């Protein structure tokens, strides 16, 4: 089967190409970049010289639909909302990596993204692609709203405890940390090497656009409207996200019991690994892979649960989960193309 | 005046030497390292070649007392408890950078440090050297227990709000992040370059020895016993600590009001800088300097206050604050030797 | 087919496991680590939790030979020389990643490694595993001396020009730079994070044990005894080697002509990519992959050729080339298990 | 005395402010930035909040001359050439950190900088500010062309051996490596964090504009026209330059003899430190300081001398040397304001 990739010069597109290159059933049919159409791929990315080199194409929904079986949109929020409807009309399956189809509420989108929302009809068709939680809906979806990087790490780490009645739902605090590749390839002083190296920086306090996305998922899964505290930090490394999350427990339970709960919750899920008691994952331990590793600790002094969830922001937080969703959509093993071990060190 | 430095091959000692080198009234009389006695300093630290080079001495309390006016102990916890009594007997002023004299409760020390505590008589004489909070006691102290790096950043960031009745004292969560130099020069897999670079790692969940130290100060300052949640992370950078701290507010107040409260609280304090609303400090902005910069944000959705406090762990978190305390003990301007601007980038 | 890996807790072994995990014909039968026998793999390497986890075994040549088809020795120099003879006696194929069987001259080994050489009989049987240059000998070898990381980058970059008579063979200068993972997982102050981060350091001037290895290959290929200047530097990054190499040209030739010469020389070689004129490779462009990328520049002002050759030290410089050699030994496509794209960024 | 700084939002200006802050006789009178005139300094550089904060001014040569005793131009090449003549007309002393007044030959400037050269009359008045080599000319200069970062490290490391007749002047190869701050604060993909971190990259092969500057100095000092090979590399760190330099010796001399030659050559120079035999400097050992540390090694196998010279590119390679030159111009101790120890680690 053939995949088209739109937004071909960003880090999301590059990672899709890397992963599809190893996919047993999928190959890259074409890569579209309006801004660099006509150029060869390896001019922007010499690491692909002589490998999957091909000229970048222009966006043309009909040609794409004729020659491909699925489209991955690695375009920014605000662009996907314009392209997806044109693609959907041709009947081709779409996986959108932007934030444009994730929020069911257009008001929320306008508030947090400060931009006009996508057409509501398409938002309604979109299935939120958190692969471990919504596999059945994903299998039959025509349009996947692929989750954000922070929401993936945060929600996978919180959902199991929220489905019990053991945690105070008003107590959730998410202290999130990300490598710099999450900010993309666009130039900015906050991605400028000398400003970021040897530096740790908090940003967008109380205003990050992933807040309503996380709240939507957690509210759905707990059945109760949830409001979170969410702080994001930029860490001097390229890849990796860690969410350190705090919840007050309603009753006294042990770390061992929480580990058992999580292990059981994810027992058939290939890409979520629950660490045993006393073992907390580090971001490097999932580098380059589609795993989400989760560590758990109950502090009996404060009766709070700490959940630590790590992913590679470009894999499970973007391109990897997109392919996992495509695998589900085509009825393949969800691990197809994603069975690489983490690269260590 | 002359200072002796004990523990001369660790990063704390090196930083003391750097700062004292610029001090108008203080100079390094001798540097003691039992493990490397007889060697020249520049064998361990070539960056000092030809500058303050001198042979490392052996520990001898009487010689030290005869030739110096103050002693800085940059020795590990468990070592200072043995050396300080010998020095105190000679009558010389001591500033101890270890954790051995910080906790008033010997039981707490044994619980968290898993080691025998110092002689209780000396613990009682020790003044906790958080310079901005206890300047009067420091001025007349014979022995300073210099605060830990995390406790300095955490307590300076929390005390102003705790002295009001506006925060829920049971709600304090401290998500702390540190550069790797905090772990010292001793070899360990958790300081091994290939394991730490491009990696973010949480460690010592619920068991860090700085927990009782922070709780002691916060309890003292608020007048109420306080228990905190405290998580430490290792960030791939050499210097810098950030504490991101969360408190539930008892009433609705604005970020502006909190900024005013903090600005007023620290109005005569040279080394604490409160950032205006919307401005959050990054660790690089205090690199190499004795500043503690604090940013504040009230999230009206959750009615939580987020405090972000940054220091250079080796300066305000260790050697710099030790010198600030010495300045107070000798009646000098507390900024003496510490007026370097942060080094940026 | 089944592979045994000896030296199972080093970075070389870990990288072998990662690559063999994706190999279509090879799987990891067992991993041997005398120092950690009995422990599970994931205790040392949590990134492998739940994946290829198994207990580490003890070294027993007969059991290894019975249950495996090939052995990879990721043991240090000085250890391999003792283990290889025991394994060879059983008739099993061996690929040794240490320096013990690379130098034909035992005197040279003693001089540069300051250690007793391996038994000369086994040295004579060993084939130097520079896959692109000695494929025929490798195919029939019983023992492969897998090349060092620096020698791989250096010799692949120099051999094409040395096989012409266009360069002054006495003029070769190799300025080499490596990431820190090349120093392995053993603790040392030169791999201590705070000493290496934000630092660039030259080491082992004129005394690096890879000097005689490079000279041996270059002398063989040029047919003339060659002596080189070789300087190694430690760069604050985990993976990657770059050799910047300088040769004086005997006659005036253009960059274009040199690019053509190299392109032609490596035209059927999957893992060597010659960049076009004006395009110089960076280490990140081969990260995680088995490629050796080479850039070329003739400076007409000085009539010197500059060759820049980059590899991932743990892949083409160690485990990847070892598997490439195994592929040749078994008659498989040399790319088997090695077709991953570089991971970028 | 008062200094004006032009080009106030670049890293050069920031470093001038940091160093002048500790100068006993000099203070910052005003900082000029046409692009950000009217803004406060700390908006661009929060690390200076509450310290030397002041509004950025517009460029006005007469006001500058009235209120200041010296001007430092931290403006880019192509800008200084326009501003310096206007300042010189007022009679104020100027230290220009750009490349505009370094090359005596306007043809060379046009060839390498691809830009129109400065007015020749001003070029003739400029004194090349390599403080250790031209102190007498600097003392009486009205305009200093402050040396480039690479030329400072390279020429200080080469001049002593070139003043003997022991080296082959046609054999000089300079393999140079720099931290990323050397590229300034302007945004570019080659300073983008995710592209540079964990990466080593060569750039501008044979075309770097510092080549004619180095050749001019070396030719002057040796009395013979010299052509060099010069390759620059970008290292994933913020500060630091290392030049690894190779020369063929005309006769056999020992490392010890070369160390003695260099030690003697620089015996009264505060900021050049010659390391003893067997001791090679690393960039971190001069971090934040004005030192240039030099290590030496003669390889008797090839009869080549390797010189390794390190500086902090923003201090001795820019702002520090500018102040050292100002000190000479005003007749002060050249160490004034520059006696900080390197910051380590």
């Amino acid at each position: 089967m053939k995949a088209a990739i739109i937004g071909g010069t960003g880090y999301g597109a590059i990672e899709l190409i890397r992963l599809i290159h190893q996919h047993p059933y999928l190959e890259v049919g074409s890569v579209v970049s309006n801004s660099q159409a006509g150029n060869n791929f390896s001019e922007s990315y010499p690491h692909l010289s002589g490998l999957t080199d091909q000229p970048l194409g222009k966006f043309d929904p009909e040609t794409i639909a004729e020659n491909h079986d699925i489209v991955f949109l690695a375009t920014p929020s605000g662009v996907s909302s314009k392209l997806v409807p044109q693609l959907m009309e041709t009947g081709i399956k779409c996986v959108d990596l932007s934030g444009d189809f994730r929020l069911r509420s257009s008001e929320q989108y306008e508030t947090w993204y400060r931009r006009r929302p996508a057409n509501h009809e398409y938002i309604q068709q979109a299935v939120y692609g958190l692969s471990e939680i919504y596999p059945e809906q994903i299998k039959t979806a025509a349009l996947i709203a692929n989750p954000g990087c922070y929401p993936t790490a945060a929600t996978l780490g919180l959902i199991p405890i929220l489905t019990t009645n053991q945690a105070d739902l008003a107590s959730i605090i998410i202290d999130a940390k990300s490598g710099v590749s999450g900010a993309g390839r666009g130039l900015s002083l906050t991605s400028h090497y000398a400003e970021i190296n040897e530096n740790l920086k908090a940003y967008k306090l109380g205003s990050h656009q992933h807040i309503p996305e996380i709240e939507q998922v957690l509210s759905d899964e707990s059945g109760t409207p949830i409001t979170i505290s969410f702080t994001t930090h930029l860490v001097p490394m390229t890849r990796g996200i860690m969410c350190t999350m705090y919840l007050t427990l309603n009753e006294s339970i042990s770390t061992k019991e929480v580990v058992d709960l999580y292990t059981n919750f994810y027992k058939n899920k290939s890409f979520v690994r629950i660490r045993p008691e006393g073992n907390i994952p580090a971001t490097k331990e999932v580098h380059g892979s589609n795993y989400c590793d989760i560590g758990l600790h109950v502090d009996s002094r404060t009766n709070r649960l700490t959940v630590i969830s790590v992913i590679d922001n470009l894999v499970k937080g973007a391109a990897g989960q997109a392919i996992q969703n495509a695998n589900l959509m085509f009825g393949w093993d969800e691990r197809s193309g994603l069975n690489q071990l983490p690269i260590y060190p």
Side-chain angles (χ1 to χ4, degrees), chain A:
Chain A
M1 298 249 183
K2 288 203 168 174
I5 297 173
I6 323 283
T9 52
Y11 292 148
I14 279 297
E15 194 67 355
L16 282 164
I17 289 170
R18 181 175 77 92
L19 296 171
I20 293 175
H21 185 74
Q22 301 202 54
H23 200 289
Y25 316 123
L26 203 57
E27 63 176 304
V28 176
S30 61
V31 184
V32 169
S33 166
N34 272 344
S35 68
Q36 309 221 10
N39 287 354
N40 262 14
F41 221 93
S42 62
E43 290 172 55
S44 293
Y45 286 107
H47 74 284
L48 296 179
S49 307
L51 298 176
T52 62
D53 216 0
Q54 46 177 296
L56 292 157
K58 270 214 161 305
F59 180 73
D60 172 7
E62 277 165 40
T63 317
I64 290 170
E66 266 167 49
N67 301 306
H68 302 84
D69 303 284
I70 191 166
V71 180
F72 294 98
L73 291 107
T75 35
S77 296
V79 174
S80 289
S81 60
K82 299 198 181 72
L83 305 186
V84 162
Q86 302 176 52
L87 289 162
M88 296 282 288
E89 265 180 41
T90 70
I92 196 167
K93 292 175 200 291
C94 292
V95 179
D96 176 36
L97 281 74
S98 87
D100 281 354
F101 297 90
R102 295 181 197 151
L103 299 182
R104 287 193 301 268
S105 155
S106 293
E107 290 71 32
Q108 290 268 37
Y109 184 90
E110 284 198 77
T111 302
W112 294 91
Y113 283 81
R114 296 160 188 267
R115 195 185 286 124
R116 292 202 45 196
N119 183 315
H120 200 248
E121 176 195 342
Y122 292 96
I123 292 176
Q124 282 176 306
Q125 290 181 53
V127 168
Y128 188 72
L130 191 60
S131 323
E132 281 71 20
I133 307 300
Y134 307 114
E136 295 311 316
Q137 299 93 312
I138 292 165
K139 281 176 188 167
T140 58
L143 168 60
I144 296 291
N146 209 58
C149 49
Y150 287 123
T152 297
T155 60
L156 290 178
L158 290 172
I159 288 172
I161 189 72
L162 296 189
T163 60
T164 71
N165 56 1
Q166 296 174 310
D168 173 359
L169 300 182
S171 72
I172 302 172
I173 290 173
I174 303 173
D175 193 277
K177 299 98 176 166
S178 177
V180 185
S181 65
R185 212 185 199 200
L187 301 181
S188 131
L189 203 55
T190 56
S191 300
H192 195 61
Y193 185 87
E195 303 282 322
I196 293 304
N197 181 42
E198 273 292 289
N199 197 4
L200 176 66
K201 207 182 168 82
Y203 68 104
K204 289 197 187 175
L205 264 76
S207 66
H208 198 289
Q209 72 278 9
H210 285 168
I211 291 175
E213 182 180 340
I214 296 170
E215 292 181 345
Q216 176 177 286
V217 176
L218 298 185
S219 300
D220 284 358
E221 293 307 299
S222 67
T224 311
I226 285 184
T227 307
I228 58 168
S229 284
F230 180 68
T231 310
T232 46
H233 303 79
L234 212 49
V235 176
M237 60 186 189
T238 300
R239 288 176 179 237
I241 276 182
M242 177 182 285
C243 289
T244 310
M245 303 184 276
Y246 302 90
L247 301 99
T248 304
L249 294 169
N250 292 327
E251 48 195 287
S252 177
I253 46 176
S254 68
T255 299
K256 173 82 174 55
E257 288 170 298
V258 181
V259 168
D260 289 347
L261 164 71
Y262 274 67
T263 304
N264 196 49
F265 189 94
Y266 287 118
K267 69 170 175 290
N268 298 313
K269 302 300 178 183
S270 308
F271 291 118
V272 179
R273 301 189 295 187
I274 306 304
R275 296 295 179 84
E277 187 173 356
N279 185 326
I280 300 295
T283 60
K284 200 179 194 64
E285 291 162 11
V286 297
H287 189 100
S289 81
N290 200 48
Y291 293 97
C292 173
D293 282 14
I294 298 174
L296 299 150
H297 176 75
V298 175
D299 185 353
S300 57
R301 299 167 67 253
T302 57
N303 206 30
R304 277 201 197 98
L305 168 64
T306 306
V307 182
I308 292 188
S309 171
V310 300
I311 60 170
D312 182 320
N313 57 305
L314 294 178
V315 190
K316 184 63 179 169
Q321 187 156 246
I323 288 168
Q324 188 180 356
N325 286 329
N327 289 338
L328 292 170
M329 292 164 94
F330 285 119
W332 302 326
D333 184 328
E334 70 173 344
R335 293 167 298 184
S336 306
L338 298 171
N339 67 338
Q340 299 92 339
L341 299 186
I343 182 165
Y344 193 96

